[in-house]
Each structure stands twice: as structure tokens, then as C-alpha cells.
Amino acid sequence: MSVGERNSGLVSGIRVDVTRLHETWMELVFPRQLDTAHTVLGKWKPNNTLGMAAYRLWGALGVPLVAILYPLALFGYMTRFYTRKLDGTATRLGVAGVLLLSLVVWGGLTALARIRFSADGFIAVAAASVVATLAAVLAVMFNRVGGRGTTVLLAYPFGMTALFLPPVVAALYSPTLADAIFPQSTTLARWILDNLLSIGNLNTYIRTRYDLEGVAYVGMWFGIAVPLGWLLGVLVTIADVLRPARD
């Protein structure tokens, strides 16, 4: 395939995605907007001046929204690729297999903590590993038994918690892990406060009342895991709307 053909295919794919995303926006208010190119009735449009004005206004409002959502959808394609692989692995392992794998991974971290850390450090890492194992099992269960809403609201946040919690807790007692995790955590916290939590001086309130040290890092990463899980779930949902995944 030549470079020109590849570029043409890329442009065509983007056009299809953007059109479908805008049609989905139109479908929120007006009937028969999505995937009507090859139907007998075709796309519905109002038959009076006032209705057509509302139709065009709603379409115009969707243009900036599509411009914002489409880059997120591209990231959603990549996220979906990896989440599908994780889903496939979890399906093959089953709930018992995921439980066993989590026990092996975080149990190994706990055993290392028993050797290297103080008694308090060992107990903290062991507790975090138990919570992470439970979160991993719940993520698999909610992903299996629930629909899209349950998967996004519960499965993804539990999955993120299972990944983040034990390493951050272990970093409280390991200088090596602390040097790897905490400086980046501080940089990330500053960015979140300066950009995402600047509305209503919420960042000032947090800075004056809380110090990012010790167990506060655990609270920070737990606070990130939940909305990050929701964000990844929403991105995958957008990707599924634009390009439904084939089984």
C-alpha cells in the first residue's frame, strides 16, 4: 500500500469517526440520526422552519463537543486494546485464578516486606495487599455480572485500586520505592491542584489544610484511582460507540 493510499484511508477513517460521533450527539434529541446512510427512510429532518432552526442549532452545538471528544476517543481505542487483553486474561483465569495471581504477586511483596521492613511496615503492606486482592476480585466480578454502567462505575475503579495501592504503601517504608514514587506523585499533585482543582479556590483549601506526606500519599493515589478508573471506562465507552469492538 502506497503512502497516499494510507493517508487516504486515515482521512477516511477520521471522517467516519467524526461523522458517527456527531450523529450520536444528534440522536440524543432527534430520532433516526445514527447510521442511516443505507436505510430506506434515511436521516430524519424537521419539516418546518422552527424545527429546522432547532435542528441546526443543536448540530452546531455538537461541533465543539466533537472536537473535544474525538482526541479522547483516539486514546480510548488504545485503552480498549489493553483492557480487552486484561479482560481476556481475567476470563481465562476466572475469579479463582485472578485471586491466586493477586495472592502470588502481592503476597510476594508482603513476604519481602516481612524481611526488609519494620513490623509496622509489614502490617501496612499486608493490609494493602489484602485490600488490593479483594479489589481485583471485585473488579473481575463486576465486569462479568454487570452491564456497561456497572463496569465503568465499579469494575474500572476497583481494578485501578488493585494496581496502585500496595506499591504506594510499600513506598512509605522503602527509600528506594519512595525515591521512585513520591517525587512524581508530588509533581502530579501540583498539576492536579493547579489545573483540575483550581475552581472555587479548592486547591488553596487543600494546600492550607493538608500536607502531602506519609499516609497522605496513599489517600492521594486512592483518590486518583477511582476517577481514573471512571475516565478510562468512559474513554473505552466512547471508542465502543464510534467503532464497536468485534468479538
Side-chain angles (χ1 to χ4, degrees):
M1 181 182 293
S2 66
V3 175
E5 289 174 333
R6 285 198 298 268
N7 290 338
S8 177
L10 177 62
V11 172
S12 177
I14 293 175
R15 184 183 298 113
V16 170
D17 287 345
V18 170
T19 300
R20 183 175 178 84
L21 189 56
H22 191 266
E23 288 176 345
T24 302
W25 165 259
M26 298 298 293
E27 187 87 10
L28 295 176
V29 175
F30 301 100
R32 217 172 65 235
Q33 299 295 307
L34 186 63
D35 295 333
T36 59
H38 304 291
T39 61
V40 176
L41 295 176
K43 183 175 294 187
W44 178 90
K45 288 187 178 181
N47 55 11
N48 58 73
T49 303
L50 182 60
M52 182 57 72
Y55 184 83
R56 289 176 176 171
L57 176 61
W58 186 253
L61 291 174
V63 172
L65 182 65
V66 169
I68 294 172
L69 288 180
Y70 187 61
L72 297 178
L74 296 179
F75 187 78
Y77 294 148
M78 181 178 66
T79 304
R80 184 176 66 180
F81 174 79
Y82 291 106
T83 56
R84 291 291 185 268
K85 285 187 173 295
L86 290 175
D87 287 344
T89 301
T91 299
R92 289 191 294 271
L93 291 175
V95 174
V98 170
L99 174 62
L100 179 61
L101 177 62
S102 185
L103 287 174
V104 169
V105 174
W106 298 134
L109 179 63
T110 303
L112 182 62
R114 180 67 179 87
I115 299 172
R116 302 287 298 274
F117 299 165
S118 64
D120 290 342
F122 165 67
I123 293 173
V125 172
S129 298
V130 170
V131 173
T133 299
L134 179 61
V137 171
L138 289 174
V140 174
M141 293 177 62
F142 282 123
N143 187 48
R144 279 188 172 190
V145 304
R148 187 186 298 275
T150 303
T151 299
V152 173
L153 290 176
L154 297 174
Y156 279 95
F158 275 121
M160 293 296 100
T161 301
L163 291 174
F164 288 158
L165 186 58
V168 176
V169 172
L172 296 175
Y173 302 93
S174 169
T176 302
L177 287 176
D179 291 340
I181 293 176
F182 290 159
Q184 287 77 9
S185 298
T186 302
T187 301
L188 178 60
R190 290 197 189 102
W191 183 88
I192 292 174
L193 289 172
D194 293 338
N195 294 275
L196 302 182
L197 301 180
S198 60
I199 300 175
N201 290 326
L202 182 59
N203 54 353
T204 303
Y205 175 85
I206 294 175
R207 281 192 169 105
T208 55
R209 284 165 175 78
Y210 302 99
D211 294 323
L212 187 58
E213 58 184 19
V215 73
Y217 283 105
V218 179
M220 168 191 164
W221 279 104
F222 179 76
I224 289 175
V226 174
L228 179 60
W230 290 336
L231 175 61
L232 293 179
V234 169
L235 293 179
V236 172
T237 300
I238 294 173
D240 284 341
V241 169
L242 291 183
R243 296 184 187 177
R246 294 182 176 87
D247 293 332

